[in-house]
Amino acid sequence: MTASDESTVALAFSGGLDTTVCVPLLEEEYGYDRVIGVTVDVGQPEAEFDEARRTAEALDLEHHVVDATEAFATLCYRAVKANATYQGYPLGTALARPVIAAAILEVAEEQGCAAVAHGCTGKGNDQLRFEAVWRGSDLDVIAPVRELGLTREWEMEYAAERDLPVEGGNEGVWSIDQNLWSRAVEGGELEEPSYIPPEEIYEWTAEPDGTTTVEVTFEAGRPVAVDGEELPPVELIEYLNEYAGQYGVGRTDVMEDRMLGLKVRENYEHPAASVLLAAHQALEDLVLTKEERRVKRGIEQEWAEKAYEGLVFAPVVRALEGFIDETQSVVSGSATVRLEGGTCRAVARDSEYAVYSEEMASFNTESVAGIEQADATGVAKYHGLQDRLANEVADRVRGRVPSISTDEE
Ligand code: ARG
């Protein structure tokens, strides 16, 4: 490492107000000689890269763009296997952060940086998600917005004084975070939980209208084809976002409990995630045993919590995935979902691993696998036996006869 390397910092750069003011601040307040802006592609719209490039140029900032779309799609597919949602949200922003953080760290290490920096505030989740990855390295971690206690107003004034290229700090009414897996919209009047979101906040989903079906094929829990057409992960997700979005599928409006305890009202669009999660779950319902399904619900919840926290690299996540992957070997086949009225629900599933015997479930067969109808009599005698006994005891001890009654006590 040369002396000048000691004073280089890699900044997670989007070209927005926060990260733009960070550039001069890192030089002036933190004393770095060289700032490198890194923008990581996790499927943001092209316009965001244009903005980042333009702003970097105007700032005379060395700018790197890293394509992490495939790594991100791979993580999204792990989320599908885990049927993962957090409070109804398929975790798009949460899953993207560790991928972005890791990509920035790689650039920082290549470029011999002494530090990495982000423009997150001290209120949100993203500061924690980025730093959970970065603090595993030897580099210093810098969070100018949080550390200097900056407000948007201050940033806008500072940008105006310095003539920074922030397009007047004019980033619209809504705060938007968009990637391959979801589009999150917050801020403005949406901060008021009683405010009904206007149609204009939606970009990926049309007003629900019309109906169609989509068939998704899975191999060992991974989506591999849509309506019979094989597609690699990034293309498959993009295709479904577009297709299911036309039917208004994949809108959620949640009161989200953030990691620091704040409740924040957040709106999301995620057509592909909705379809893939519904289809995957439907296929699992056919091929997993009752016990596998029951235990997996708990595992999934744990996976989603860690993913929300940006901790997908944690050992416990690998352990949870040990269970998940063990179950996925039979999650091959297809499921069809109907898109209708902005919802998607499974209407068909098919797999050679179905834990299902039409012959056994049918009302029309007398004896199957040596089991007669009459064999259920013994089971019926035992069923609820312990409860009947316990109620008898309670009746004797407390003089109270529990009964099924419509009267409220
Ligand atoms: N609250 C979400 C999360 O922490 C997403 C935040 C997205 N940001 C935005 N500006 N809408 O995962």
Side-chain angles (χ1 to χ4, degrees):
M1 206 183 270
T2 65
S4 73
D5 290 337
E6 279 304 321
S7 59
T8 303
V9 55
L11 167 69
F13 185 75
S14 70
L17 179 63
D18 289 318
T19 58
T20 298
V21 302
C22 281
V23 175
L25 289 173
L26 284 168
E27 292 165 354
E28 291 161 25
E29 297 295 319
Y30 290 89
Y32 286 94
D33 293 333
R34 179 175 165 229
V35 181
I36 299 174
V38 187
T39 305
V40 181
D41 187 351
V42 283
Q44 305 89 315
E46 213 28 66
E48 286 189 24
F49 296 104
D50 293 343
E51 188 192 355
R53 279 194 204 94
R54 262 202 322 271
T55 311
E57 214 175 276
L59 285 167
D60 205 15
L61 173 71
E62 177 181 338
H63 187 218
H64 295 243
V65 178
V66 183
D67 182 0
T69 47
E70 275 177 36
F72 183 48
T74 301
L75 182 54
C76 294
Y77 277 13
R78 283 163 62 190
V80 170
K81 290 185 187 177
N83 295 320
T85 56
Y86 175 81
Q87 298 184 337
Y89 143 57
L91 296 159
T93 299
L95 294 172
R97 293 308 178 251
V99 173
I100 294 171
I104 290 171
L105 194 55
E106 211 170 292
V107 173
E109 279 167 353
E110 261 168 36
Q111 298 291 321
C113 293
V116 273
H118 63 69
C120 304
T121 71
K123 287 193 178 178
N125 294 322
D126 288 341
Q127 51 174 341
L128 305 178
R129 295 168 177 153
F130 277 124
E131 292 181 37
V133 174
W134 289 349
R135 289 185 187 278
S137 77
D138 292 332
L139 304 190
D140 286 334
V141 175
I142 305 168
V145 176
R146 179 182 73 202
E147 287 160 9
L148 304 172
L150 308 187
T151 62
R152 268 194 105 63
E153 224 167 81
W154 186 92
E155 290 178 2
M156 260 144 82
E157 235 168 77
Y158 178 79
E161 266 168 35
R162 300 294 173 113
D163 205 17
L164 298 179
V166 291
E167 298 171 6
N170 164 29
E171 295 174 334
V173 200
W174 319 113
S175 165
I176 294 166
D177 181 67
Q178 183 169 328
N179 60 47
L180 193 60
W181 203 231
S182 70
R183 181 172 175 274
V185 188
E186 64 183 17
E189 281 178 281
L190 288 170
E191 283 174 5
E192 193 48 65
S194 62
Y195 175 74
I196 299 175
E199 244 349 90
E200 65 161 85
I201 71 161
Y202 304 110
E203 253 178 39
W204 287 8
T205 55
E207 254 184 279
D209 186 28
T211 173
T212 190
T213 57
V214 185
E215 185 199 53
V216 184
T217 309
F218 293 87
E219 265 169 32
R222 298 178 84 257
V224 291
V226 176
D227 287 331
E229 191 185 337
E230 281 189 33
L231 287 170
V234 175
E235 279 91 329
L236 190 147
I237 295 167
E238 282 173 347
Y239 171 76
L240 278 180
N241 273 334
E242 164 105 39
Y243 187 69
Q246 291 168 28
Y247 293 86
V249 165
R251 292 180 176 183
T252 48
D253 179 343
V254 294
M255 287 311 304
E256 186 175 308
D257 292 302
R258 281 193 184 163
M259 276 184 263
L260 295 177
L262 298 174
K263 239 181 227 305
V264 175
R265 199 273 187 92
E266 193 92 51
N267 274 269
Y268 295 101
E269 293 180 284
H270 40 75
S274 289
V275 169
L276 293 176
L277 290 167
H280 179 265
Q281 173 92 61
L283 186 56
E284 280 193 339
D285 293 349
L286 179 67
V287 300
L288 299 187
T289 63
K290 174 181 173 176
E291 287 300 280
E292 285 176 303
R293 289 169 69 181
R294 186 179 64 76
V295 175
K296 190 163 180 284
R297 288 297 86 85
I299 301 275
E300 289 167 356
Q301 189 56 42
E302 299 296 338
W303 194 96
E305 292 280 339
K306 296 302 280 185
Y308 184 74
E309 294 172 0
L311 301 175
V312 284
F313 54 80
V316 70
V317 172
R318 285 201 294 281
L320 295 168
E321 288 185 352
F323 178 93
I324 292 172
D325 287 340
E326 178 66 31
T327 62
Q328 297 303 291
S329 55
V330 291
V331 187
S332 295
S334 67
T336 303
V337 294
R338 176 165 291 284
L339 315 184
E340 191 170 39
T343 67
C344 76
R345 80 196 149 85
V347 288
R349 40 324 247 156
D350 184 30
S351 171
E352 58 178 313
Y353 299 107
V355 184
Y356 177 74
S357 157
E358 196 170 346
E359 211 190 0
M360 278 199 187
S362 167
F363 296 109
N364 288 323
T365 34
E366 190 29 44
S367 120
V368 181
I371 304 170
E372 314 285 335
Q373 237 194 97
D375 289 334
T377 306
V379 179
K381 286 180 179 169
Y382 274 108
H383 188 61
L385 175 63
Q386 195 172 79
D387 303 317
R388 291 194 292 274
L389 262 173
N391 282 338
E392 251 173 59
V393 174
D395 184 20
R396 253 189 294 115
V397 176
R398 289 186 254 135
R400 186 170 146 264
V401 188
S403 65
I404 298 169
S405 150
T406 51
D407 297 339
E408 286 195 35
E409 277 173 54

